[in-house]
Amino acid sequence: MTTKVVNITQRVVNREVERVLGQYPHRPYRQAFAHPELRRELVAYVLNRVENRYITVHPGQDDQLIDARSHQLALQQPQIEQLIHQGIQKLIRSNAEWVRSHIPPKSDGSQRDGEPSHWFG
């Protein structure tokens, strides 16, 4: 019977990243971290700085077991949250040029964002 090793810390970090980013302004933070590579860098930043915990699951065991085990990480949650905030700031600073070039500027209100009138000259 094959077993699978699951990093429950990563599941908690992914969930917490989503929650913490919800506290940040849409532009530029949530827009920047919607990019998969930057999101992976943030998760890796946290996982490299916290103790990771793993469980083994057998085929047929569902995600409820994994989620139940991930609640054991409640004591690490404040540390994980702090690391997420640190990672967000560090990655925004270190990728500032990329963020500026990939996140559209805030509209001045003279026309709606994404209005196609300026697309064709």
Side-chain angles (χ1 to χ4, degrees), residues 65-92:
L65 172 67
I66 297 168
D67 289 340
R69 290 287 181 91
S70 67
H71 289 296
Q72 296 172 349
L73 298 176
L75 296 175
Q76 282 184 292
Q77 190 168 346
Q79 178 189 16
I80 290 170
E81 184 174 346
Q82 180 184 17
L83 288 168
I84 292 169
H85 287 293
Q86 289 172 2
I88 288 170
Q89 297 307 314
K90 179 186 181 299
L91 291 169
I92 287 289

Short mmCIF file of all heavy atoms in Angstrom, two decimals, residues 65-92:
data_model
loop_
_atom_site.label_atom_id
_atom_site.label_comp_id
_atom_site.label_asym_id
_atom_site.label_seq_id
_atom_site.Cartn_x
_atom_site.Cartn_y
_atom_site.Cartn_z
N LEU A 65 -8.70 14.70 7.30
CA LEU A 65 -7.67 14.23 8.21
C LEU A 65 -6.48 15.18 8.20
O LEU A 65 -5.95 15.55 9.23
CB LEU A 65 -7.21 12.82 7.83
CG LEU A 65 -5.99 12.30 8.60
CD1 LEU A 65 -6.33 12.09 10.06
CD2 LEU A 65 -5.47 11.02 7.97
N ILE A 66 -6.09 15.58 7.00
CA ILE A 66 -4.96 16.51 6.86
C ILE A 66 -5.29 17.84 7.52
O ILE A 66 -4.48 18.40 8.25
CB ILE A 66 -4.59 16.69 5.38
CG1 ILE A 66 -4.14 15.34 4.80
CG2 ILE A 66 -3.53 17.75 5.20
CD1 ILE A 66 -4.03 15.32 3.29
N ASP A 67 -6.50 18.35 7.28
CA ASP A 67 -6.90 19.62 7.89
C ASP A 67 -6.96 19.51 9.41
O ASP A 67 -6.57 20.43 10.12
CB ASP A 67 -8.24 20.08 7.34
CG ASP A 67 -8.15 20.55 5.91
OD1 ASP A 67 -7.02 20.87 5.45
OD2 ASP A 67 -9.18 20.60 5.23
N ALA A 68 -7.43 18.37 9.92
CA ALA A 68 -7.48 18.18 11.37
C ALA A 68 -6.08 18.21 11.96
O ALA A 68 -5.86 18.81 13.02
CB ALA A 68 -8.17 16.86 11.71
N ARG A 69 -5.14 17.59 11.30
CA ARG A 69 -3.76 17.60 11.77
C ARG A 69 -3.12 18.98 11.67
O ARG A 69 -2.28 19.35 12.47
CB ARG A 69 -2.91 16.59 10.99
CG ARG A 69 -3.25 15.16 11.29
CD ARG A 69 -2.73 14.79 12.69
NE ARG A 69 -3.00 13.42 13.01
CZ ARG A 69 -2.19 12.41 12.76
NH1 ARG A 69 -1.05 12.62 12.17
NH2 ARG A 69 -2.53 11.19 13.10
N SER A 70 -3.51 19.75 10.68
CA SER A 70 -2.91 21.08 10.50
C SER A 70 -3.31 22.03 11.63
O SER A 70 -2.61 23.00 11.88
CB SER A 70 -3.27 21.66 9.14
OG SER A 70 -4.64 21.94 9.05
N HIS A 71 -4.38 21.71 12.34
CA HIS A 71 -4.77 22.54 13.49
C HIS A 71 -3.76 22.42 14.62
O HIS A 71 -3.71 23.26 15.51
CB HIS A 71 -6.17 22.18 13.98
CG HIS A 71 -7.24 22.62 13.03
ND1 HIS A 71 -7.48 23.95 12.76
CD2 HIS A 71 -8.11 21.92 12.28
CE1 HIS A 71 -8.46 24.05 11.90
NE2 HIS A 71 -8.85 22.82 11.58
N GLN A 72 -2.92 21.40 14.58
CA GLN A 72 -1.87 21.25 15.59
C GLN A 72 -0.84 22.37 15.49
O GLN A 72 -0.06 22.58 16.41
CB GLN A 72 -1.17 19.90 15.43
CG GLN A 72 -2.06 18.71 15.67
CD GLN A 72 -1.37 17.41 15.30
OE1 GLN A 72 -0.31 17.39 14.70
NE2 GLN A 72 -2.00 16.30 15.67
N LEU A 73 -0.85 23.08 14.38
CA LEU A 73 0.12 24.15 14.17
C LEU A 73 -0.37 25.49 14.72
O LEU A 73 0.24 26.52 14.45
CB LEU A 73 0.42 24.30 12.68
CG LEU A 73 1.06 23.08 12.02
CD1 LEU A 73 1.22 23.31 10.54
CD2 LEU A 73 2.39 22.76 12.66
N ALA A 74 -1.43 25.48 15.49
CA ALA A 74 -1.99 26.73 16.02
C ALA A 74 -0.97 27.55 16.79
O ALA A 74 -0.99 28.77 16.75
CB ALA A 74 -3.21 26.44 16.88
N LEU A 75 -0.07 26.88 17.50
CA LEU A 75 0.94 27.61 18.26
C LEU A 75 1.92 28.35 17.35
O LEU A 75 2.52 29.34 17.76
CB LEU A 75 1.71 26.66 19.19
CG LEU A 75 0.88 26.01 20.29
CD1 LEU A 75 1.72 25.02 21.07
CD2 LEU A 75 0.32 27.09 21.23
N GLN A 76 2.09 27.88 16.14
CA GLN A 76 2.99 28.51 15.19
C GLN A 76 2.32 29.64 14.41
O GLN A 76 3.00 30.39 13.72
CB GLN A 76 3.54 27.50 14.20
CG GLN A 76 4.65 26.63 14.73
CD GLN A 76 5.19 25.74 13.63
OE1 GLN A 76 4.49 24.84 13.18
NE2 GLN A 76 6.40 26.00 13.22
N GLN A 77 1.02 29.77 14.51
CA GLN A 77 0.30 30.74 13.68
C GLN A 77 0.80 32.17 13.84
O GLN A 77 1.01 32.85 12.83
CB GLN A 77 -1.20 30.66 13.93
CG GLN A 77 -1.98 31.48 12.92
CD GLN A 77 -3.46 31.19 12.98
OE1 GLN A 77 -3.89 30.21 13.57
NE2 GLN A 77 -4.23 32.03 12.34
N PRO A 78 1.02 32.68 15.05
CA PRO A 78 1.54 34.06 15.15
C PRO A 78 2.91 34.23 14.47
O PRO A 78 3.15 35.24 13.81
CB PRO A 78 1.65 34.30 16.66
CG PRO A 78 0.69 33.34 17.27
CD PRO A 78 0.71 32.14 16.37
N GLN A 79 3.77 33.23 14.61
CA GLN A 79 5.08 33.29 13.96
C GLN A 79 4.90 33.25 12.44
O GLN A 79 5.56 34.02 11.72
CB GLN A 79 5.95 32.11 14.41
CG GLN A 79 7.30 32.08 13.74
CD GLN A 79 8.07 30.81 14.02
OE1 GLN A 79 7.51 29.81 14.46
NE2 GLN A 79 9.37 30.85 13.74
N ILE A 80 4.02 32.41 11.95
CA ILE A 80 3.78 32.31 10.51
C ILE A 80 3.23 33.63 9.99
O ILE A 80 3.68 34.14 8.96
CB ILE A 80 2.83 31.13 10.20
CG1 ILE A 80 3.55 29.80 10.44
CG2 ILE A 80 2.29 31.22 8.78
CD1 ILE A 80 2.65 28.58 10.39
N GLU A 81 2.29 34.22 10.70
CA GLU A 81 1.71 35.49 10.28
C GLU A 81 2.77 36.59 10.23
O GLU A 81 2.84 37.36 9.26
CB GLU A 81 0.57 35.90 11.20
CG GLU A 81 -0.12 37.17 10.75
CD GLU A 81 -1.34 37.53 11.58
OE1 GLU A 81 -1.83 36.68 12.35
OE2 GLU A 81 -1.80 38.67 11.45
N GLN A 82 3.61 36.66 11.24
CA GLN A 82 4.68 37.66 11.26
C GLN A 82 5.64 37.46 10.07
O GLN A 82 6.03 38.42 9.42
CB GLN A 82 5.45 37.59 12.57
CG GLN A 82 6.58 38.60 12.66
CD GLN A 82 7.39 38.45 13.93
OE1 GLN A 82 7.33 37.43 14.61
NE2 GLN A 82 8.16 39.47 14.24
N LEU A 83 5.99 36.22 9.79
CA LEU A 83 6.87 35.93 8.67
C LEU A 83 6.23 36.29 7.33
O LEU A 83 6.92 36.73 6.41
CB LEU A 83 7.30 34.47 8.69
CG LEU A 83 8.29 34.09 9.78
CD1 LEU A 83 8.40 32.58 9.90
CD2 LEU A 83 9.65 34.73 9.51
N ILE A 84 4.94 36.11 7.22
CA ILE A 84 4.24 36.48 5.99
C ILE A 84 4.34 37.99 5.78
O ILE A 84 4.67 38.45 4.68
CB ILE A 84 2.77 36.01 6.00
CG1 ILE A 84 2.71 34.48 5.94
CG2 ILE A 84 1.98 36.64 4.84
CD1 ILE A 84 1.34 33.90 6.22
N HIS A 85 4.08 38.76 6.83
CA HIS A 85 4.20 40.23 6.72
C HIS A 85 5.62 40.63 6.33
O HIS A 85 5.81 41.47 5.44
CB HIS A 85 3.81 40.91 8.03
CG HIS A 85 2.35 40.88 8.33
ND1 HIS A 85 1.41 41.56 7.59
CD2 HIS A 85 1.65 40.25 9.31
CE1 HIS A 85 0.20 41.35 8.09
NE2 HIS A 85 0.32 40.55 9.13
N GLN A 86 6.61 40.02 6.96
CA GLN A 86 8.00 40.31 6.62
C GLN A 86 8.30 39.95 5.17
O GLN A 86 8.96 40.71 4.46
CB GLN A 86 8.96 39.55 7.54
CG GLN A 86 8.99 40.03 8.96
CD GLN A 86 9.81 39.12 9.86
OE1 GLN A 86 10.40 38.14 9.43
NE2 GLN A 86 9.83 39.44 11.15
N GLY A 87 7.85 38.78 4.76
CA GLY A 87 8.09 38.33 3.39
C GLY A 87 7.43 39.23 2.36
O GLY A 87 8.03 39.52 1.32
N ILE A 88 6.22 39.68 2.64
CA ILE A 88 5.53 40.58 1.72
C ILE A 88 6.36 41.84 1.52
O ILE A 88 6.62 42.27 0.39
CB ILE A 88 4.12 40.92 2.25
CG1 ILE A 88 3.19 39.71 2.12
CG2 ILE A 88 3.54 42.14 1.51
CD1 ILE A 88 1.85 39.86 2.83
N GLN A 89 6.80 42.44 2.62
CA GLN A 89 7.58 43.68 2.53
C GLN A 89 8.90 43.46 1.80
O GLN A 89 9.30 44.24 0.94
CB GLN A 89 7.80 44.28 3.91
CG GLN A 89 6.52 44.69 4.62
CD GLN A 89 5.65 45.61 3.77
OE1 GLN A 89 6.13 46.56 3.17
NE2 GLN A 89 4.36 45.31 3.71
N LYS A 90 9.59 42.38 2.15
CA LYS A 90 10.89 42.09 1.53
C LYS A 90 10.74 41.86 0.03
O LYS A 90 11.50 42.40 -0.77
CB LYS A 90 11.52 40.87 2.18
CG LYS A 90 12.87 40.48 1.58
CD LYS A 90 13.38 39.18 2.18
CE LYS A 90 14.72 38.79 1.62
NZ LYS A 90 14.73 38.57 0.19
N LEU A 91 9.75 41.06 -0.36
CA LEU A 91 9.58 40.73 -1.77
C LEU A 91 9.08 41.92 -2.59
O LEU A 91 9.48 42.09 -3.75
CB LEU A 91 8.66 39.52 -1.93
CG LEU A 91 9.27 38.21 -1.44
CD1 LEU A 91 8.21 37.12 -1.36
CD2 LEU A 91 10.43 37.79 -2.33
N ILE A 92 8.24 42.75 -2.01
CA ILE A 92 7.81 43.96 -2.72
C ILE A 92 9.01 44.87 -2.95
O ILE A 92 9.19 45.42 -4.04
CB ILE A 92 6.68 44.69 -1.95
CG1 ILE A 92 5.36 43.91 -2.07
CG2 ILE A 92 6.51 46.13 -2.43
CD1 ILE A 92 4.70 43.94 -3.43
#
